[in-house]
Every structure is written in structure tokens, then in C-alpha cells.
Amino acid sequence: MILSAHNIRKRFADLDVLKGIDLEMQQGDVVAILGPSGSGKTTLLRCLNFLERADEGILTMDGADIDLHRATHREIVRVRRKTAFVFQNYNLFQNKTVLQNVTLGLTVGARMRRDEAEATALEMLRKVGMADRLKHYPSQLSGGQQQRVAIARALATKPEIIYFDEPTSALDPELIGEVLSVMRDLAVEGMTMLVVTHEMDFARNVSSSILFMDGGEVIERAPSRQFFEQPREARSQEFIRSILQR
Ligand SMILES: Nc1ncnc2c1ncn2[C@@H]1O[C@H](COP(=O)(O)OP(=O)(O)OP(=O)(O)O)[C@@H](O)[C@H]1O
Ligand SMILES: [Mg+2]
């Protein structure tokens, strides 16, 4: 087991956003989180990576239990070293080049030597098909290209798991494919990924299982194929029907 989480709870004012989420990921799992808007998908990812502080919950990584509410700075750093996050809007540094965006976390964060960091960055930028744009700035790239740089940046830190929050939903339709294709390659290579997505093609054909959330709860977790062909829960069935109608 690469990661497990137990009873994650989060409340904003009087709104229960996560009502006791359990999650298990094995090495190489690609799990798509599906669910209606407001069901708590983003909040779940953010709590797992301490971008948001959960009210309750235990995260277990590499055999160590971490209290999501009480985690110390040191524990948070340790978790973040094993994880990476890819955001909907890429979050690249606008005043840094493509190469600098990828090396920065390595030289500053991981204290890697510059030449070593650049070699790693180059390797990852090659993987996502962006090695010919090293000196470009984000504003000189398409959204799909920026997101591929963001993925290279995530990969460069050699995480055990990558969290993606709707990585293609800010993109024009014609640019979605290039990002999904990079993610598909990563899945085939065995990268462990937890992906909030509205891309049903990805959920159906790339992810190994589906975590379906509604109202702050996990309604169903099932192998992807089974989820789409034989959803167990009434709310899952309704969700799939609503997608098919779109
Ligand atoms: N910082 C915050 N303060 C108050 N309420 C919040 C905050 N962040 C999220 N919420 C609320 O928590 C609920 C869940 O939000 P979340 O962003 O996790 O949903 P989501 O499933 O990712 O939705 P979407 O598909 O629209 O991205 C929503 O009702 C949202 O308004
Ligand atoms: Mg969201």
C-alpha cells in the first residue's frame, strides 16, 4: 500500500464538506475521482497534501501514520516530498522559463546541484514533449504546453504519487488530448495517480478505478469498467445517466 487515509473530515463554517473519507492506493493505481460540483473532490486532494488542514483523519504513507489535523511542519514536509500536485490552472511561475520552472523545486526544495537539476528537468521535459521550449516563458506557451510543463515539474521531484485536480478543464478542447496522452503514458509506466477529472474517456479507459463522491462522502469505489457498466449505487447510476445525457 502506497497510501491510505482514514476518516478525513473537513468543515467550512457550518458546511460539512468531507464527512469521513477513506481511501487506499496501491503502487501504480490510477484512481479517478468523479462527482458533482461541490461534492468535496478538490478539498479531499488539498487535505491529502496539506494545502488545506483537515479537521480529522489519519494519513498513512510508507508505514508512518500522520494525523492530518495535528501534523507538524516536519511531517508535512516529509509528506510533500513524496507527493506532487498538478493544478487546473498550471500554477507556473510567469517570470521563469520552462527550464527554470522545473529546476526550481529541485535546486531550492531538494537542494540538488544545478547541473543535476537541469539534467533531471530535461529528462522530464522530454517525457512530456516540451524539451524544445526550454527558454520559453509560460505566456509564450499554449495552455496544453503549460500543463505539460507543470506535469514535468511534478515528475522531476520523483514523487511516489501525483495528485491532479482537473488538469484539463482550463484547456481549449483541441488541447485536452495532448495532456491526457501524457497522463496515459505515465499511467502505463506505472505512476501512481489520483485524478479529479470530468474527462470520462480518461476515467473509463486510463484509470484503474473510480472513486465516486457525492455530498462529502465516497458513494462508490469500483474498478473503472465495473463502475461504468454496472454501478452498484443508485447515486452512481444517476450520475452516469446524467453524463450520458450531456
Ligand atoms: N475555502 C473554503 N471556504 C468555504 N467553503 C469552501 C472552501 N473551499 C471549498 N468550500 C466549499 O466546500 C464544498 C466542496 O468544494 P470542493 O471545491 O471541494 O468541491 P469539488 O467537488 O471540487 O467541486 P468542483 O467539481 O466544482 O470543482 C463546496 O460547497 C465549496 O463551496
Ligand atoms: Mg474542484
Side-chain angles (χ1 to χ4, degrees):
M1 191 96 65
I2 199 162
L3 172 156
S4 76
H6 180 60
N7 194 31
I8 304 182
R9 292 178 183 273
K10 178 69 184 175
R11 152 182 278 266
F12 288 114
D14 56 358
L15 186 66
D16 271 324
V17 175
L18 299 178
K19 300 176 184 165
I21 304 287
D22 293 332
L23 172 70
E24 286 187 355
M25 304 268 305
Q26 310 279 352
Q27 174 91 44
D29 273 354
V30 179
V31 177
I33 304 180
L34 307 181
S37 181
S39 55
K41 307 178 298 293
T42 294
T43 306
L44 173 61
L45 287 192
R46 291 175 61 85
C47 285
L48 286 171
N49 214 27
F50 297 101
L51 294 169
E52 202 77 68
R53 186 65 83 137
D55 298 325
E56 216 178 304
I58 301 292
L59 174 67
T60 310
M61 283 189 91
D62 295 334
D65 286 349
I66 295 149
D67 184 320
L68 286 172
H69 184 63
R70 293 188 186 80
T72 61
H73 177 69
R74 185 195 275 260
E75 284 174 320
I76 292 173
V77 169
R78 211 179 302 142
V79 166
R80 290 220 180 115
R81 247 184 232 136
K82 298 176 190 173
T83 64
F85 208 107
V86 174
F87 299 87
Q88 182 176 340
N89 55 0
Y90 339 125
N91 279 17
L92 297 176
F93 295 106
Q94 293 300 314
N95 60 340
K96 305 267 182 223
T97 64
V98 164
L99 184 65
Q100 287 167 338
N101 262 285
V102 182
T103 55
L104 199 66
L106 302 177
T107 52
V108 177
R111 307 229 182 108
M112 204 184 264
R113 282 206 330 259
R114 172 164 306 277
D115 54 345
E116 209 183 320
E118 287 185 353
T120 302
L122 196 57
E123 182 193 339
M124 299 310 164
L125 285 164
R126 247 187 229 122
K127 223 189 236 299
V128 302
M130 288 299 296
D132 56 345
R133 296 284 198 282
L134 300 182
K135 299 239 161 77
H136 283 59
Y137 288 87
S139 62
Q140 300 171 313
L141 302 175
S142 73
Q145 291 171 332
Q146 291 186 62
Q147 192 58 298
R148 285 187 283 141
V149 172
I151 293 173
R153 176 175 63 179
L155 289 171
T157 62
K158 309 262 163 82
E160 292 178 12
I161 178 168
I162 307 183
Y163 302 120
F164 294 80
D165 190 7
E166 299 199 33
T168 60
S169 59
L171 299 175
D172 292 336
E174 70 273 19
L175 301 178
I176 290 175
E178 66 191 57
V179 172
L180 289 182
S181 136
V182 164
M183 292 173 66
R184 182 174 289 120
D185 291 347
L186 296 181
V188 170
E189 280 176 29
M191 177 57 78
T192 310
M193 306 194 269
L194 185 57
V195 186
V196 173
T197 185
H198 291 295
E199 287 300 326
M200 290 307 137
D201 184 44
F202 179 87
R204 222 182 237 274
N205 301 315
V206 183
S207 71
S208 45
S209 64
I210 304 294
L211 189 86
F212 174 64
M213 291 179 66
D214 195 5
E217 295 174 300
V218 174
I219 305 299
E220 180 164 353
R221 162 96 183 237
S224 299
R225 208 183 149 147
Q226 185 184 321
F227 180 82
F228 285 103
E229 288 173 8
Q230 292 169 311
R232 269 193 319 267
E233 303 296 326
R235 270 192 274 182
S236 314
Q237 292 163 9
E238 200 179 306
F239 178 77
I240 291 168
R241 257 200 308 277
S242 77
I243 291 166
L244 293 178
Q245 272 165 13
R246 257 186 255 147

